[in-house]
Amino acid sequence: MQQLQDKKEQYDDILQKDLEMIIQDEEIMMKLKDSVFLVTGATGMIGSQIVKSLLLYNKKEQANIRIIIVVRSKEKAERIFGSQLQDSMLEVICSDIQEFRLKDRKIDYIIHGASMTGSAEFVSKPVETIKTALFGTMNILDSARTSGIKGMVYLSSLEVYGVTDPKKESIAEENLGYLNPLHVRSSYSEGKRMAECICVSYASEYNVPVKIARLCQTFGAGVEYEDNRVFAQFARSIIEEKDIVLHTQGMTVRNYCYTADAIRAIFYILVKGKSGEAYNVANEQTAISIRDMAETLCQHYKHKSIQVVYQIEDEEKHGYNPVVKIRLNTRKVLELGWKPKVDLVTMYDRMIQSMETRKTQFHK
């Protein structure tokens, strides 16, 4: 039975190297020793790598970090964590985030990442999207109130900015733009905005030491081969030597961040960030339009002989964002001591190597 489990367990050399990179920030990591973590959204790409990096740090440094993870699917947890689920320092709780209860448990740190994440779901299940953001976050904050935590990070999104002032060269944390509450796609963006306000309210009224990480689009090693987000679609096109298909004009401009870099930033915010504050997490050097990114990849992988083609579809039906141009200003998180390490092309190189490994292991 154990041999069968080991055979099915994922192994990704690129991801393993990323986890090693995360825990190299010894100044930050050593502050997490001898603590208890609660991680929600733990089977997501960011959540799972947070958990795996903490487990790796335990293994290498005997850090005595206990980790409680909240997951919706036991099967997905088994697939992602494999034999790590047998680690005595890891406890798994299967629960909807809105119903989760943490009674009489001492928690030191919380990273709250549970959220609806699929663009199509924001349109097909907007009520569930909003409920998860609001009630799920309030539920976790109530646990934080009674647990005497040292710090908490809520994982938010650049989507809270909406449509910003095009005259601004970069968008700092206070430069919020326009969101249309009558647009059903706003269920995600408005939900994130309100969840941020709930966090700040708990910080103000109940002294919960919660900070907010506003993540740009984040990817890297560990992306599932079937992932349907734009960056994964581009990567699959390159792997399978197929043209990159754009379903919009690709005029939206945004920043990107490598997953391992984003997780390092989350730990910096957790340990050194100021309660009630938001921090943009992005690699400022990666700001690019979707169209230009597709063209750049075709040029970088020109030996694949692929090109960009357009099949324009109904953007609202598929949950696509309105066209925005957001170049995030990361001064605040940089002042905490964090710096991104991985550029955009390298992000794709590493993600593609990782996806090819996963395809080989699980799609024979």
Side-chain angles (χ1 to χ4, degrees):
M1 180 66 71
Q2 183 63 44
Q3 288 180 346
L4 180 61
Q5 181 184 21
D6 290 344
K7 185 177 181 180
K8 290 182 178 180
E9 190 171 324
Q10 296 180 349
Y11 181 76
D12 184 334
D13 182 60
I14 301 297
L15 176 56
Q16 189 64 28
K17 291 176 181 176
D18 283 356
L19 300 177
E20 298 273 0
M21 180 174 75
I22 292 167
I23 66 173
Q24 284 174 3
D25 281 304
E26 182 62 21
E27 176 192 0
I28 296 298
M29 297 303 297
M30 68 183 301
K31 296 181 185 298
L32 305 179
K33 289 183 176 181
D34 302 309
S35 61
V36 181
F37 265 78
L38 173 67
V39 181
T40 74
T43 57
M45 182 174 65
I46 292 175
S48 64
Q49 292 186 36
I50 287 171
V51 173
K52 290 181 178 184
S53 64
L54 292 173
L55 291 174
L56 180 62
Y57 191 58
N58 270 344
K59 182 178 179 180
K60 287 186 171 293
E61 300 294 335
Q62 292 76 52
N64 191 37
I65 300 172
R66 302 191 65 84
I67 310 154
I68 302 168
I69 65 174
V70 183
V71 303
R72 285 187 296 176
S73 168
K74 181 180 178 182
E75 291 74 19
K76 187 175 181 180
E78 290 173 343
R79 176 169 56 82
I80 289 173
F81 294 106
S83 61
Q84 288 181 311
L85 293 180
Q86 309 305 316
D87 194 309
S88 62
M89 302 301 281
L90 180 63
E91 177 182 348
V92 182
I93 299 175
C94 292
S95 174
D96 185 287
I97 199 64
Q98 299 176 58
E99 300 171 356
F100 169 72
R101 296 291 182 271
L102 190 65
K103 298 180 180 179
D104 303 321
R105 299 290 294 271
K106 177 69 170 66
I107 302 294
D108 296 299
Y109 297 107
I110 298 175
I111 297 178
H112 175 38
S115 174
M116 302 287 273
T117 57
S119 292
E121 288 182 320
F122 306 158
V123 175
S124 64
K125 296 181 179 180
V127 174
E128 291 82 352
T129 299
I130 293 169
K131 282 185 174 181
T132 300
L134 270 60
F135 302 137
T137 300
M138 289 185 72
N139 199 17
I140 295 302
L141 286 164
D142 281 330
S143 292
R145 283 183 62 191
T146 60
S147 299
I149 65 170
K150 298 177 182 177
M152 171 177 169
V153 174
Y154 171 64
L155 303 188
S156 188
S157 165
L158 65 77
E159 290 205 25
V160 300
Y161 288 107
V163 180
T164 56
D165 184 350
K167 296 177 183 178
K168 287 190 174 295
E169 292 186 4
S170 65
I171 302 300
E173 286 79 0
E174 66 272 15
N175 299 140
L176 293 176
Y178 170 74
L179 283 174
N180 183 358
L182 299 183
H183 185 187
V184 71
R185 174 62 173 73
S186 296
S187 59
Y188 180 74
S189 306
E190 292 278 20
K192 286 289 187 183
R193 273 193 181 182
M194 192 64 223
E196 286 193 12
C197 188
I198 291 169
C199 288
V200 172
S201 298
Y202 271 75
S204 175
E205 187 170 346
Y206 302 123
N207 296 314
V208 176
V210 57
K211 308 91 182 266
I212 298 160
R214 288 181 182 158
L215 302 172
C216 68
Q217 193 147 71
T218 301
F219 64 86
V223 170
E224 298 289 348
Y225 195 80
E226 301 86 354
D227 193 305
N228 202 40
R229 285 171 288 186
V230 169
F231 53 78
Q233 293 180 27
F234 286 6
R236 275 198 306 277
S237 293
I238 293 164
I239 292 169
E240 297 173 5
E241 300 189 22
K242 297 179 179 178
D243 290 340
I244 293 177
V245 179
L246 293 186
H247 299 293
T248 72
Q249 293 294 338
M251 302 308 293
T252 286
V253 175
R254 60 166 69 100
N255 297 88
Y256 298 86
C257 192
Y258 193 61
T259 310
D261 279 337
I263 292 169
R264 292 174 48 246
I266 290 166
F267 284 147
Y268 270 87
I269 294 166
L270 180 68
V271 171
K272 301 178 74 173
K274 183 179 178 181
S275 179
E277 294 280 334
Y279 297 83
N280 289 335
V281 177
N283 184 333
E284 289 192 22
Q285 303 305 312
T286 64
I288 192 172
S289 72
I290 294 172
R291 181 176 190 163
D292 287 345
M293 183 165 65
E295 296 286 0
T296 297
L297 292 172
C298 288
Q299 180 61 30
H300 180 64
Y301 297 98
K302 57 186 178 183
H303 59 286
K304 298 282 189 175
S305 301
I306 60 177
Q307 61 184 349
V308 180
V309 299
Y310 295 86
Q311 295 178 5
I312 307 301
E313 297 183 357
D314 184 335
E315 296 186 22
E316 183 171 349
K317 176 182 177 182
H318 291 276
Y320 301 142
N321 260 333
V323 174
V324 294
K325 295 183 179 181
I326 298 181
R327 294 174 175 85
L328 294 180
N329 183 311
T330 59
R331 175 188 58 81
K332 285 180 66 176
V333 71
L334 292 173
E335 287 178 348
L336 299 181
W338 172 83
K339 291 181 180 179
K341 296 181 178 180
V342 184
D343 62 42
L344 184 63
V345 171
T346 306
M347 288 166 64
Y348 267 97
D349 285 341
R350 294 180 70 80
M351 177 174 64
I352 286 171
Q353 290 179 61
S354 172
M355 289 177 68
E356 287 180 319
T357 296
R358 288 162 180 268
K359 180 183 179 184
T360 300
Q361 290 185 20
F362 304 107
H363 300 272
K364 291 181 179 180

PDB file of all heavy atoms in Angstrom, residues 51-73:
ATOM      1  N   VAL A  51       2.698  25.632   3.018  1.00  0.00           N
ATOM      2  CA  VAL A  51       2.736  24.484   3.922  1.00  0.00           C
ATOM      3  C   VAL A  51       3.988  23.644   3.680  1.00  0.00           C
ATOM      4  O   VAL A  51       4.699  23.263   4.622  1.00  0.00           O
ATOM      5  CB  VAL A  51       1.469  23.627   3.758  1.00  0.00           C
ATOM      6  CG1 VAL A  51       1.569  22.346   4.575  1.00  0.00           C
ATOM      7  CG2 VAL A  51       0.229  24.423   4.154  1.00  0.00           C
ATOM      8  N   LYS A  52       4.281  23.360   2.429  1.00  0.00           N
ATOM      9  CA  LYS A  52       5.443  22.533   2.111  1.00  0.00           C
ATOM     10  C   LYS A  52       6.758  23.205   2.517  1.00  0.00           C
ATOM     11  O   LYS A  52       7.700  22.530   2.950  1.00  0.00           O
ATOM     12  CB  LYS A  52       5.455  22.203   0.614  1.00  0.00           C
ATOM     13  CG  LYS A  52       4.356  21.233   0.202  1.00  0.00           C
ATOM     14  CD  LYS A  52       4.420  20.910  -1.282  1.00  0.00           C
ATOM     15  CE  LYS A  52       3.348  19.894  -1.663  1.00  0.00           C
ATOM     16  NZ  LYS A  52       3.429  19.477  -3.074  1.00  0.00           N
ATOM     17  N   SER A  53       6.818  24.522   2.374  1.00  0.00           N
ATOM     18  CA  SER A  53       8.049  25.214   2.776  1.00  0.00           C
ATOM     19  C   SER A  53       8.233  25.160   4.296  1.00  0.00           C
ATOM     20  O   SER A  53       9.359  24.991   4.781  1.00  0.00           O
ATOM     21  CB  SER A  53       8.036  26.665   2.279  1.00  0.00           C
ATOM     22  OG  SER A  53       6.993  27.416   2.870  1.00  0.00           O
ATOM     23  N   LEU A  54       7.139  25.267   5.040  1.00  0.00           N
ATOM     24  CA  LEU A  54       7.235  25.164   6.497  1.00  0.00           C
ATOM     25  C   LEU A  54       7.644  23.755   6.917  1.00  0.00           C
ATOM     26  O   LEU A  54       8.456  23.580   7.841  1.00  0.00           O
ATOM     27  CB  LEU A  54       5.906  25.545   7.144  1.00  0.00           C
ATOM     28  CG  LEU A  54       5.499  27.021   7.028  1.00  0.00           C
ATOM     29  CD1 LEU A  54       4.082  27.225   7.550  1.00  0.00           C
ATOM     30  CD2 LEU A  54       6.482  27.926   7.771  1.00  0.00           C
ATOM     31  N   LEU A  55       7.103  22.737   6.255  1.00  0.00           N
ATOM     32  CA  LEU A  55       7.484  21.362   6.565  1.00  0.00           C
ATOM     33  C   LEU A  55       8.956  21.121   6.241  1.00  0.00           C
ATOM     34  O   LEU A  55       9.664  20.433   6.990  1.00  0.00           O
ATOM     35  CB  LEU A  55       6.597  20.384   5.793  1.00  0.00           C
ATOM     36  CG  LEU A  55       5.126  20.309   6.224  1.00  0.00           C
ATOM     37  CD1 LEU A  55       4.341  19.412   5.272  1.00  0.00           C
ATOM     38  CD2 LEU A  55       5.003  19.797   7.660  1.00  0.00           C
ATOM     39  N   LEU A  56       9.411  21.692   5.129  1.00  0.00           N
ATOM     40  CA  LEU A  56      10.817  21.546   4.763  1.00  0.00           C
ATOM     41  C   LEU A  56      11.713  22.246   5.784  1.00  0.00           C
ATOM     42  O   LEU A  56      12.775  21.722   6.167  1.00  0.00           O
ATOM     43  CB  LEU A  56      11.063  22.122   3.365  1.00  0.00           C
ATOM     44  CG  LEU A  56      12.501  22.035   2.842  1.00  0.00           C
ATOM     45  CD1 LEU A  56      12.943  20.583   2.710  1.00  0.00           C
ATOM     46  CD2 LEU A  56      12.633  22.759   1.497  1.00  0.00           C
ATOM     47  N   TYR A  57      11.292  23.415   6.238  1.00  0.00           N
ATOM     48  CA  TYR A  57      12.062  24.137   7.247  1.00  0.00           C
ATOM     49  C   TYR A  57      12.137  23.338   8.548  1.00  0.00           C
ATOM     50  O   TYR A  57      13.184  23.290   9.208  1.00  0.00           O
ATOM     51  CB  TYR A  57      11.441  25.507   7.485  1.00  0.00           C
ATOM     52  CG  TYR A  57      12.298  26.435   8.314  1.00  0.00           C
ATOM     53  CD1 TYR A  57      13.585  26.777   7.907  1.00  0.00           C
ATOM     54  CD2 TYR A  57      11.818  26.988   9.491  1.00  0.00           C
ATOM     55  CE1 TYR A  57      14.385  27.629   8.666  1.00  0.00           C
ATOM     56  CE2 TYR A  57      12.593  27.845  10.254  1.00  0.00           C
ATOM     57  CZ  TYR A  57      13.880  28.163   9.837  1.00  0.00           C
ATOM     58  OH  TYR A  57      14.669  29.002  10.592  1.00  0.00           O
ATOM     59  N   ASN A  58      11.038  22.701   8.909  1.00  0.00           N
ATOM     60  CA  ASN A  58      11.051  21.800  10.070  1.00  0.00           C
ATOM     61  C   ASN A  58      12.103  20.715   9.906  1.00  0.00           C
ATOM     62  O   ASN A  58      12.885  20.425  10.818  1.00  0.00           O
ATOM     63  CB  ASN A  58       9.690  21.131  10.240  1.00  0.00           C
ATOM     64  CG  ASN A  58       8.745  21.927  11.124  1.00  0.00           C
ATOM     65  OD1 ASN A  58       9.165  22.829  11.847  1.00  0.00           O
ATOM     66  ND2 ASN A  58       7.476  21.599  11.081  1.00  0.00           N
ATOM     67  N   LYS A  59      12.111  20.116   8.732  1.00  0.00           N
ATOM     68  CA  LYS A  59      13.008  18.985   8.464  1.00  0.00           C
ATOM     69  C   LYS A  59      14.472  19.401   8.527  1.00  0.00           C
ATOM     70  O   LYS A  59      15.318  18.676   9.066  1.00  0.00           O
ATOM     71  CB  LYS A  59      12.684  18.404   7.081  1.00  0.00           C
ATOM     72  CG  LYS A  59      13.512  17.200   6.693  1.00  0.00           C
ATOM     73  CD  LYS A  59      13.081  16.671   5.324  1.00  0.00           C
ATOM     74  CE  LYS A  59      13.920  15.472   4.909  1.00  0.00           C
ATOM     75  NZ  LYS A  59      13.501  14.958   3.577  1.00  0.00           N
ATOM     76  N   LYS A  60      14.775  20.580   7.983  1.00  0.00           N
ATOM     77  CA  LYS A  60      16.166  21.005   7.901  1.00  0.00           C
ATOM     78  C   LYS A  60      16.673  21.659   9.185  1.00  0.00           C
ATOM     79  O   LYS A  60      17.856  21.584   9.504  1.00  0.00           O
ATOM     80  CB  LYS A  60      16.334  21.970   6.717  1.00  0.00           C
ATOM     81  CG  LYS A  60      16.271  21.276   5.360  1.00  0.00           C
ATOM     82  CD  LYS A  60      16.580  22.239   4.240  1.00  0.00           C
ATOM     83  CE  LYS A  60      16.741  21.489   2.919  1.00  0.00           C
ATOM     84  NZ  LYS A  60      17.931  20.624   2.882  1.00  0.00           N
ATOM     85  N   GLU A  61      15.773  22.334   9.900  1.00  0.00           N
ATOM     86  CA  GLU A  61      16.222  23.137  11.040  1.00  0.00           C
ATOM     87  C   GLU A  61      15.592  22.723  12.364  1.00  0.00           C
ATOM     88  O   GLU A  61      15.792  23.416  13.365  1.00  0.00           O
ATOM     89  CB  GLU A  61      15.914  24.626  10.776  1.00  0.00           C
ATOM     90  CG  GLU A  61      16.580  25.197   9.538  1.00  0.00           C
ATOM     91  CD  GLU A  61      18.090  25.246   9.669  1.00  0.00           C
ATOM     92  OE1 GLU A  61      18.592  25.297  10.818  1.00  0.00           O
ATOM     93  OE2 GLU A  61      18.774  25.228   8.619  1.00  0.00           O
ATOM     94  N   GLN A  62      14.827  21.602  12.373  1.00  0.00           N
ATOM     95  CA  GLN A  62      14.119  21.203  13.594  1.00  0.00           C
ATOM     96  C   GLN A  62      13.411  22.416  14.200  1.00  0.00           C
ATOM     97  O   GLN A  62      13.554  22.748  15.373  1.00  0.00           O
ATOM     98  CB  GLN A  62      15.084  20.594  14.626  1.00  0.00           C
ATOM     99  CG  GLN A  62      15.660  19.257  14.204  1.00  0.00           C
ATOM    100  CD  GLN A  62      16.753  19.384  13.147  1.00  0.00           C
ATOM    101  OE1 GLN A  62      17.697  20.143  13.325  1.00  0.00           O
ATOM    102  NE2 GLN A  62      16.627  18.636  12.062  1.00  0.00           N
ATOM    103  N   ALA A  63      12.606  23.076  13.369  1.00  0.00           N
ATOM    104  CA  ALA A  63      12.023  24.367  13.728  1.00  0.00           C
ATOM    105  C   ALA A  63      10.816  24.253  14.649  1.00  0.00           C
ATOM    106  O   ALA A  63      10.360  25.262  15.195  1.00  0.00           O
ATOM    107  CB  ALA A  63      11.628  25.132  12.461  1.00  0.00           C
ATOM    108  N   ASN A  64      10.277  23.044  14.794  1.00  0.00           N
ATOM    109  CA  ASN A  64       9.150  22.834  15.696  1.00  0.00           C
ATOM    110  C   ASN A  64       7.955  23.725  15.340  1.00  0.00           C
ATOM    111  O   ASN A  64       7.354  24.368  16.193  1.00  0.00           O
ATOM    112  CB  ASN A  64       9.559  23.068  17.155  1.00  0.00           C
ATOM    113  CG  ASN A  64       8.482  22.609  18.136  1.00  0.00           C
ATOM    114  OD1 ASN A  64       7.812  21.604  17.921  1.00  0.00           O
ATOM    115  ND2 ASN A  64       8.301  23.353  19.225  1.00  0.00           N
ATOM    116  N   ILE A  65       7.620  23.755  14.059  1.00  0.00           N
ATOM    117  CA  ILE A  65       6.448  24.489  13.594  1.00  0.00           C
ATOM    118  C   ILE A  65       5.318  23.487  13.361  1.00  0.00           C
ATOM    119  O   ILE A  65       5.444  22.576  12.544  1.00  0.00           O
ATOM    120  CB  ILE A  65       6.737  25.250  12.283  1.00  0.00           C
ATOM    121  CG1 ILE A  65       7.874  26.250  12.489  1.00  0.00           C
ATOM    122  CG2 ILE A  65       5.480  25.960  11.783  1.00  0.00           C
ATOM    123  CD1 ILE A  65       8.350  26.914  11.205  1.00  0.00           C
ATOM    124  N   ARG A  66       4.234  23.653  14.081  1.00  0.00           N
ATOM    125  CA  ARG A  66       3.047  22.827  13.887  1.00  0.00           C
ATOM    126  C   ARG A  66       2.116  23.546  12.916  1.00  0.00           C
ATOM    127  O   ARG A  66       1.919  24.768  13.010  1.00  0.00           O
ATOM    128  CB  ARG A  66       2.341  22.556  15.209  1.00  0.00           C
ATOM    129  CG  ARG A  66       3.227  21.869  16.243  1.00  0.00           C
ATOM    130  CD  ARG A  66       2.419  21.371  17.426  1.00  0.00           C
ATOM    131  NE  ARG A  66       1.483  20.315  17.011  1.00  0.00           N
ATOM    132  CZ  ARG A  66       1.824  19.029  16.899  1.00  0.00           C
ATOM    133  NH1 ARG A  66       3.068  18.633  17.160  1.00  0.00           N
ATOM    134  NH2 ARG A  66       0.935  18.124  16.534  1.00  0.00           N
ATOM    135  N   ILE A  67       1.521  22.785  11.991  1.00  0.00           N
ATOM    136  CA  ILE A  67       0.716  23.392  10.931  1.00  0.00           C
ATOM    137  C   ILE A  67      -0.656  22.730  10.888  1.00  0.00           C
ATOM    138  O   ILE A  67      -0.767  21.508  10.744  1.00  0.00           O
ATOM    139  CB  ILE A  67       1.404  23.237   9.558  1.00  0.00           C
ATOM    140  CG1 ILE A  67       2.870  23.697   9.631  1.00  0.00           C
ATOM    141  CG2 ILE A  67       0.646  24.014   8.488  1.00  0.00           C
ATOM    142  CD1 ILE A  67       3.762  23.054   8.616  1.00  0.00           C
ATOM    143  N   ILE A  68      -1.682  23.547  11.014  1.00  0.00           N
ATOM    144  CA  ILE A  68      -3.069  23.085  10.848  1.00  0.00           C
ATOM    145  C   ILE A  68      -3.556  23.630   9.513  1.00  0.00           C
ATOM    146  O   ILE A  68      -3.486  24.842   9.264  1.00  0.00           O
ATOM    147  CB  ILE A  68      -3.965  23.605  11.989  1.00  0.00           C
ATOM    148  CG1 ILE A  68      -3.435  23.152  13.344  1.00  0.00           C
ATOM    149  CG2 ILE A  68      -5.404  23.139  11.794  1.00  0.00           C
ATOM    150  CD1 ILE A  68      -4.089  23.852  14.525  1.00  0.00           C
ATOM    151  N   ILE A  69      -4.020  22.747   8.639  1.00  0.00           N
ATOM    152  CA  ILE A  69      -4.516  23.208   7.346  1.00  0.00           C
ATOM    153  C   ILE A  69      -6.006  22.903   7.216  1.00  0.00           C
ATOM    154  O   ILE A  69      -6.490  21.885   7.701  1.00  0.00           O
ATOM    155  CB  ILE A  69      -3.733  22.599   6.166  1.00  0.00           C
ATOM    156  CG1 ILE A  69      -3.921  21.077   6.074  1.00  0.00           C
ATOM    157  CG2 ILE A  69      -2.255  22.944   6.279  1.00  0.00           C
ATOM    158  CD1 ILE A  69      -3.284  20.465   4.826  1.00  0.00           C
ATOM    159  N   VAL A  70      -6.713  23.833   6.589  1.00  0.00           N
ATOM    160  CA  VAL A  70      -8.136  23.666   6.329  1.00  0.00           C
ATOM    161  C   VAL A  70      -8.315  23.449   4.837  1.00  0.00           C
ATOM    162  O   VAL A  70      -7.889  24.280   4.021  1.00  0.00           O
ATOM    163  CB  VAL A  70      -8.946  24.890   6.786  1.00  0.00           C
ATOM    164  CG1 VAL A  70     -10.439  24.660   6.569  1.00  0.00           C
ATOM    165  CG2 VAL A  70      -8.668  25.200   8.256  1.00  0.00           C
ATOM    166  N   VAL A  71      -8.934  22.323   4.461  1.00  0.00           N
ATOM    167  CA  VAL A  71      -9.119  21.980   3.050  1.00  0.00           C
ATOM    168  C   VAL A  71     -10.566  21.592   2.807  1.00  0.00           C
ATOM    169  O   VAL A  71     -11.267  21.153   3.713  1.00  0.00           O
ATOM    170  CB  VAL A  71      -8.190  20.826   2.625  1.00  0.00           C
ATOM    171  CG1 VAL A  71      -6.734  21.170   2.903  1.00  0.00           C
ATOM    172  CG2 VAL A  71      -8.552  19.522   3.334  1.00  0.00           C
ATOM    173  N   ARG A  72     -11.009  21.774   1.572  1.00  0.00           N
ATOM    174  CA  ARG A  72     -12.373  21.358   1.206  1.00  0.00           C
ATOM    175  C   ARG A  72     -12.412  19.912   0.735  1.00  0.00           C
ATOM    176  O   ARG A  72     -13.409  19.232   0.900  1.00  0.00           O
ATOM    177  CB  ARG A  72     -12.916  22.274   0.103  1.00  0.00           C
ATOM    178  CG  ARG A  72     -13.336  23.646   0.586  1.00  0.00           C
ATOM    179  CD  ARG A  72     -14.014  24.434  -0.512  1.00  0.00           C
ATOM    180  NE  ARG A  72     -13.110  24.726  -1.623  1.00  0.00           N
ATOM    181  CZ  ARG A  72     -13.470  25.338  -2.743  1.00  0.00           C
ATOM    182  NH1 ARG A  72     -14.720  25.716  -2.898  1.00  0.00           N
ATOM    183  NH2 ARG A  72     -12.590  25.584  -3.704  1.00  0.00           N
ATOM    184  N   SER A  73     -11.314  19.457   0.127  1.00  0.00           N
ATOM    185  CA  SER A  73     -11.289  18.126  -0.472  1.00  0.00           C
ATOM    186  C   SER A  73     -10.155  17.290   0.111  1.00  0.00           C
ATOM    187  O   SER A  73      -8.974  17.627  -0.061  1.00  0.00           O
ATOM    188  CB  SER A  73     -11.120  18.229  -1.997  1.00  0.00           C
ATOM    189  OG  SER A  73     -10.822  16.978  -2.565  1.00  0.00           O
TER     190      SER A  73
END
